[in-house]
Amino acid sequence: MKHLRLLRVLCIAWLITLTLPAAFAADKPLTPPQEQALAKEIATIFQTKCALCHDGNTARKPNASKEQARAVRKIDYILDLSRVAKSLVKGADPNDSDLWYEVNEDNMPPKDSTVGPLSKTQKALIEKWIKAGAPVPAKASRKSVSTEDIYKLIGDDLKKMQPAARLNARYLSLAHLHNAGDSEEDLQLYREALAKLVNSLSWSRAIHKPEAIDEGKLILRIDVAALGWGESVWTTIHKADPYAMKYRFEWATSVYAMTNCDVPLVRGDWFAFAASRPPLYHEVLAIPKTIDELEESLGIKAAENIRLSKAARAGVIQSGVSQHNRVVERHESPFGAYWKSYDFGSSIARADIRALPLGPGGDALSFKADGGEMIFNLPNGMQAYMLVDDQGNRIDEGPIKIVQDATRDDKIVINGISCMSCHNEGMKSADDVIREHVTQVGISARYPKDAYHHILKLYAEPAAFRKLLQQDETRFKKALAEAGVREPKEGQVEPVLALVRRFEKPVTSPLLAAAELGLAEGELLIRAGELAALKPMLVRSEARGGIPRDQFIHDYARGVAALKLGEHVGVDAIFPRELTNVIGMKLVRIDAGTFTRGSPKSEQGRRDDEPQVKVKITRPFMMGVHEVTAGQFDQFVRETGHQTIAEKEGFALQTDGRGGSTRNPGMTWQTIRKAMKNDNTPVSVVSWDDAHAFCDWLSRKDKRAYRLPTEAEWEYACRAGTTTRFHWGDPKAGATSYANTADAKLRKSIANWTADESLDDGQATLAPVGSFKPNAWGLFDMHGNLEEWCLDFYSPPAYTKASDTDPVGPYESPFRVIRGGSWAHLAESGRSAHRSFMKPSFRDQFTGFRVVAELTQ
């Protein structure tokens, strides 16, 4: 009997080993080939049993189920074995593994899943994989492409071109994804994504296919002239690039010279991410700010087309992006079709399209939409998109209560990328319910005869509507094919979305971190041993979850600086273009650059202390859009108890700073504030010392370094790229529009003005900030309203250099610089180059200030 039992045990053991691949039957250490075989088995299991819900490219495809959407929010990387090993395994003991717990308890796959449960063999393989240290499939050996290799390839490509053509040549790179181990299949999808995207951002009539310049097809050349972009659009793009670098090696400098551009290359994955959504999507494609402007630019007379039944409509009860009814409407455009949707936050009252199928408008049968989406053909056959609110104003994102993007965790519809991924094959079919409903009701009190016939003409017959959809789909697919974009496979993610998701993935290994920095993994590890600044990056990349993309972008500049790879020049990615601070003050970024300070000898009104000097501003800074207002200064006084010098010393009459006196008695802030018209009036009667104290207070309050602008910064910002007397050019043509000066209207004498008089007593004095037009950089009142204190001491000798860099007037006088004009002076006194000065304690009703916030990485 004992022998029979032993034989039975041995038979059972033998049968179990038959159910497992022979190489995995024992727990002894696996050889490298066995590890690779096991890793491939695991990848197959995850693909067949887990990817439906836990792979982002599968679970986020359009029309994915709610169960898939919930699952992918937790784990979206099941096919990335490296991330699974780091995040869900936690060592070689299965009992410590989150993955093994879910598998062993039969929680995953769920019992009702269409893929069915894991077999005993599959569970045993997963356990074996964990015990073996969770090996991952080895990536195919490939030669890494260095940054210098890339620029050499570009340089060789440019040398084959005519000099004029080089100026329009720009490049998109996928080399870092190749270095990171992305498959050739994925890289080809990314090439198609870039071909689709650049043509979806072009108003040119012809499709422009990016051309690979290297054997691996990793560097793609585009022609900005052929795309209709020009240098200004490319500058907008590369300034927003967080990876934009200027290198110092020979090939790079040669490429810069041939293209006359310091950043002729951007990463393809970042470009797909940034250019497929606002603000870059709107800026590159020049999408207008309102639907009226868009329709005017396209020559669409929507209201007339609706009135004459020249538009074609369909009404649906529930669409793919909205839980409520929706109306879609087609108009003919010069380039093909112009589609607009009317979207609603509910399906009742004026949002019930069966009861109110006409409109928009105010009559009895007109619905009232809460927003809409515009889809229109570009001249090359591609599609462009615009989202609007209920007033027809362009918006970046659709309100989630109205429309939702099922492919995103947050469900937010983002103009550009959400529309591209949803309409990957053209317009979506729409099964109209209005025509049938109205026909069934018939001519009645609800649908009077004229309205009844108008509705039936407007809401097209199903066959006619399908024909229009097919016509537009054919046009779009033809453009895609011409750009080199293949027909999508079943379940394949739209190419641009696939590349966007690739960019959004965390950095989960030193290999990926090295590829992002343009280094080989070994080189990064060696240099990280020498540079303490890089160690946190490497530690985080290997930790569970890796480095989220936004965090890596934040750390990238530091990594570049530590490695001394080159100059990081992605300004928009590091610093905001504009901001509103803690007290509601608006500031805009003024980028670094060069300008000619001072005035030519021929300039009317020129003074001797304005010699022309070439000046370089090397650091961007934020500058107040407006002069500091009475309300903002009042908040400072109330919170700090600040007293003016007049209040502290009690004197009744002060000098004008130049040896004379002025009718400006010592006055309290309360007296000054009372004289201000309202909170939006720029604060005047403040000294340099008062302005300096305000900046110190604001720095503490906003946790940002505020100060007065230097004289050079002020003139640079005032000119906004111009070289004329004023930023608008001829004062006669622009003074009354751009500046509150004495030129605007006749002034009464102000010689006897006192603190007891209102600053708006019929003498046409101060205007609220923003009352006049801004300059090209968005700054108001640079030539009028109030003169403005600057940081510098006044020193004519500092103006005599042939050139200067970030100049600040040296301490060589008791005076501080004042710039700009005021409400009481002729425009000539506020020229861009005009200089004035007073002692720091001086104050009068013509002088105020604006602030600068310093920018640091």
Side-chain angles (χ1 to χ4, degrees):
M1 183 67 68
K2 290 182 180 179
H3 292 297
L4 288 175
R5 289 198 191 107
L6 178 60
L7 180 61
R8 183 181 298 171
V9 169
L10 291 173
C11 287
I12 291 172
W14 177 71
L15 288 171
I16 291 173
T17 60
L18 287 179
T19 64
L20 298 175
F24 312 140
D27 283 339
K28 63 183 181 181
L30 303 181
T31 64
Q34 290 172 337
E35 286 184 344
Q36 288 301 300
L38 178 57
K40 290 179 181 178
E41 291 277 0
I42 296 301
T44 300
I45 293 171
F46 288 171
Q47 175 71 65
T48 57
K49 295 294 186 178
C50 310
L52 184 65
C53 294
H54 293 297
D55 171 49
N57 286 339
T58 303
R60 288 199 181 96
K61 66 183 179 183
N63 303 318
S65 69
K66 292 181 179 179
E67 290 75 15
Q68 289 173 291
R70 283 196 295 267
V72 80
R73 281 196 289 271
K74 296 179 180 179
I75 300 171
D76 68 350
Y77 51 84
I78 199 67
L79 298 183
D80 185 346
L81 262 61
S82 178
R83 283 192 70 190
V84 172
K86 291 175 183 176
S87 302
L88 303 176
V89 173
K90 302 180 184 176
D93 185 351
N95 293 320
D96 292 334
S97 167
D98 295 341
L99 173 68
W100 179 245
Y101 174 81
E102 297 294 340
V103 167
N104 196 41
E105 295 294 321
D106 293 324
N107 295 330
M108 292 292 149
K111 292 181 175 58
D112 59 350
S113 172
T114 58
V115 301
L118 289 168
S119 67
K120 290 182 179 180
T121 300
Q122 289 170 326
K123 290 171 69 173
L125 283 171
I126 293 173
E127 183 180 21
K128 186 76 177 182
W129 179 65
I130 294 171
K131 289 181 177 180
V136 299
K139 295 186 181 295
S141 177
R142 58 176 61 172
K143 182 181 178 182
S144 180
V145 181
S146 71
T147 302
E148 292 196 37
D149 292 336
I150 293 170
Y151 274 89
K152 184 179 186 304
L153 288 167
I154 293 174
D156 289 340
D157 183 58
L158 289 168
K159 287 179 179 178
K160 301 172 187 175
M161 301 163 59
Q162 293 294 323
R166 296 171 185 168
L167 299 178
N168 296 319
R170 299 294 181 265
Y171 298 85
L172 303 171
S173 174
L174 297 172
H176 61 291
L177 301 182
H178 161 89
N179 294 346
D182 287 41
S183 69
E184 176 55 35
E185 181 181 359
D186 286 340
L187 290 169
Q188 178 55 35
L189 187 63
Y190 302 157
R191 294 181 193 107
E192 294 173 28
L194 293 175
K196 177 180 178 180
L197 182 57
V198 295
N199 285 289
S200 297
L201 295 169
S202 170
W203 284 94
S204 293
R205 291 192 171 275
I207 290 290
H208 172 64
K209 188 176 179 180
E211 186 173 345
I213 66 169
D214 62 310
E215 184 178 350
K217 300 181 181 180
L218 303 175
I219 313 300
L220 307 177
R221 184 200 327 120
I222 59 175
D223 186 320
V224 291
L227 290 167
W229 289 359
E231 184 57 32
S232 62
V233 171
W234 182 257
T235 299
T236 299
I237 291 169
H238 77 66
K239 282 176 65 176
D241 181 6
Y243 301 96
M245 294 284 296
K246 186 175 181 181
Y247 301 99
R248 301 183 183 90
F249 50 81
E250 185 177 352
W251 272 111
T253 55
S254 175
V255 167
Y256 302 150
M258 284 189 281
T259 58
N260 193 31
C261 178
D262 288 345
V263 187
L265 167 77
V266 299
R267 285 178 33 160
D269 59 340
W270 168 81
F271 174 77
F273 171 82
S276 65
R277 68 190 63 209
L280 214 52
Y281 180 75
H282 290 157
E283 292 172 350
V284 175
L285 200 48
I287 299 291
K289 291 186 177 181
T290 69
I291 190 173
D292 289 342
E293 292 174 309
L294 175 64
E295 291 180 352
E296 182 180 358
S297 69
L298 293 172
I300 305 293
K301 297 180 179 180
E304 182 178 337
N305 290 347
I306 294 169
R307 181 174 60 82
L308 299 176
S309 301
K310 290 184 177 180
R313 275 186 179 176
V316 296
I317 296 305
Q318 193 174 54
S319 71
V321 298
S322 174
Q323 300 303 309
H324 305 289
N325 52 207
R326 191 184 209 199
V327 173
V328 293
E329 178 179 283
R330 183 188 185 278
H331 301 258
E332 288 289 338
S333 84
F335 312 124
Y338 171 76
W339 288 87
K340 64 193 301 184
S341 70
Y342 301 93
D343 298 324
F344 304 90
S346 75
S347 299
I348 60 175
R350 293 195 65 185
D352 181 355
I353 62 174
R354 277 190 277 213
L356 305 173
L358 295 177
D363 56 36
L365 288 177
S366 291
F367 56 70
K368 185 180 186 305
D370 294 309
E373 177 189 18
M374 316 306 127
I375 304 175
F376 52 97
N377 284 122
L378 295 166
N380 60 17
M382 290 292 193
Q383 292 179 167
Y385 311 93
M386 178 181 181
L387 301 180
V388 297
D389 61 17
D390 61 342
Q391 300 299 312
N393 297 312
R394 188 190 73 196
I395 55 177
D396 295 348
E397 301 174 350
I400 199 166
K401 70 175 183 178
I402 300 175
V403 289
Q404 297 182 13
D405 181 351
T407 69
R408 291 179 54 84
D409 289 344
D410 57 15
K411 304 302 184 195
I412 294 174
V413 171
I414 300 175
N415 191 38
I417 185 59
S418 294
C419 309
M420 289 179 201
S421 61
C422 180
H423 296 279
N424 58 321
E425 295 186 72
M427 296 301 301
K428 297 288 186 180
S429 62
D431 296 324
D432 174 56
V433 299
I434 303 299
R435 186 180 183 85
E436 180 182 3
H437 173 76
V438 172
T439 302
Q440 289 176 346
V441 173
I443 298 174
S444 60
R446 174 170 290 279
Y447 303 121
K449 183 177 180 180
D450 288 346
Y452 176 85
H453 290 297
H454 182 40
I455 293 168
L456 294 188
K457 288 180 181 178
L458 193 57
Y459 286 84
E461 293 184 359
F465 198 80
R466 284 194 296 271
K467 184 177 181 180
L468 292 173
L469 287 169
Q470 183 61 48
Q471 172 184 317
D472 295 341
E473 180 182 324
T474 300
R475 180 189 301 108
F476 180 57
K477 286 186 173 181
K478 179 182 177 183
L480 288 174
E482 193 175 344
V485 181
R486 298 168 296 178
E487 286 277 345
K489 299 177 182 178
E490 178 66 28
Q492 179 183 297
V493 175
E494 187 277 329
V496 179
L497 181 60
L499 187 49
V500 167
R501 286 181 181 167
R502 176 63 181 85
F503 176 77
E504 291 175 324
K505 285 184 178 180
V507 176
T508 55
S509 71
L511 171 65
L512 297 180
E516 296 269 346
L517 290 164
L519 302 173
E521 182 179 9
E523 184 180 2
L524 177 61
L525 293 173
I526 291 171
R527 299 188 69 177
E530 306 167 353
L531 302 168
L534 293 178
K535 290 180 180 178
M537 178 187 292
L538 290 182
V539 170
R540 286 197 296 268
S541 72
E542 295 187 289
R544 180 172 179 171
I547 310 176
R549 176 58 56 182
D550 58 349
Q551 187 179 73
F552 188 86
I553 287 174
H554 183 267
D555 291 344
Y556 179 80
R558 295 177 183 174
V560 165
L563 290 163
K564 298 182 180 179
L565 298 176
E567 181 184 358
H568 188 210
V569 292
V571 181
D572 282 355
I574 309 170
F575 305 126
R577 296 186 187 184
E578 57 185 40
L579 63 85
T580 300
N581 69 13
V582 70
I583 65 169
M585 178 186 290
K586 294 181 179 179
L587 300 98
V588 294
R589 191 186 71 226
I590 308 299
D591 289 334
T594 59
F595 78 109
T596 300
R597 181 174 65 178
S599 59
K601 293 181 179 180
S602 59
E603 183 167 297
Q604 184 179 350
R606 183 181 190 271
R607 302 194 331 180
D608 291 340
D609 62 352
E610 301 172 13
Q612 289 192 301
V613 179
K614 280 282 186 183
V615 170
K616 184 175 184 180
I617 304 294
T618 64
R619 297 181 299 273
F621 56 91
M622 305 296 295
M623 180 174 256
V625 168
H626 303 296
E627 294 161 330
V628 174
T629 65
Q632 292 163 348
F633 196 85
D634 189 51
Q635 183 178 350
F636 154 63
V637 172
R638 285 186 284 105
E639 291 188 12
T640 64
H642 176 78
Q643 289 184 312
T644 66
I645 291 178
E647 289 177 277
K648 291 177 181 179
E649 300 184 1
F651 55 81
L653 192 70
Q654 64 183 53
T655 65
D656 64 2
R658 297 177 180 172
S661 62
T662 179
R663 291 278 301 179
N664 184 24
M667 58 187 77
T668 65
W669 165 247
Q670 287 72 23
T671 305
I672 300 170
R673 178 65 186 86
K674 184 179 178 181
M676 302 295 168
K677 184 175 181 180
N678 55 46
D679 281 351
N680 286 325
T681 303
V683 65
S684 63
V685 200
V686 287
S687 66
W688 186 96
D689 297 313
D690 296 331
H692 181 69
F694 177 90
C695 291
D696 284 347
W697 164 77
L698 186 54
S699 298
R700 295 190 300 271
K701 188 175 184 68
D702 199 38
K703 296 179 174 57
R704 192 187 307 268
Y706 287 89
R707 57 174 172 77
L708 295 172
T710 67
E711 185 178 9
E713 288 172 341
W714 190 97
E715 185 173 336
Y716 175 60
C718 173
R719 289 186 178 278
T722 65
T723 58
T724 49
R725 296 174 72 204
F726 307 91
H727 64 67
W728 64 76
D730 182 354
K732 292 181 181 179
T736 57
S737 298
Y738 289 91
N740 180 25
T741 67
D743 302 72
K745 60 181 73 174
L746 293 175
R747 309 285 190 178
K748 294 181 180 179
S749 170
I750 59 171
N752 296 319
W753 182 87
T754 69
D756 294 330
E757 294 178 322
S758 168
L759 291 183
D760 188 14
D761 60 354
Q763 296 183 6
T765 59
L766 280 170
V769 296
S771 298
F772 294 79
K773 293 181 180 180
N775 71 3
W777 290 354
L779 302 170
F780 294 81
D781 297 323
M782 297 301 286
H783 289 297
N785 230 9
L786 289 176
E787 297 177 308
E788 299 175 17
W789 287 109
C790 290
L791 183 67
D792 310 46
F793 289 96
Y794 176 79
S795 178
Y799 239 63
T800 59
K801 298 179 180 178
S803 63
D804 213 342
T805 300
D806 297 323
V808 179
Y811 182 68
E812 294 183 7
S813 82
F815 302 112
R816 295 282 185 173
V817 174
I818 293 175
R819 284 298 205 118
S822 84
W823 58 270
H825 299 96
L826 295 174
E828 186 175 285
S829 296
R831 292 174 296 108
S832 297
H834 178 76
R835 309 176 72 202
S836 185
F837 57 92
M838 289 290 176
K839 286 186 177 180
S841 59
F842 177 78
R843 64 185 60 77
D844 66 11
Q845 63 269 36
F846 316 128
T847 309
F849 68 103
R850 76 178 68 221
V851 301
V852 156
E854 295 183 352
L855 291 172
T856 56
Q857 290 184 192

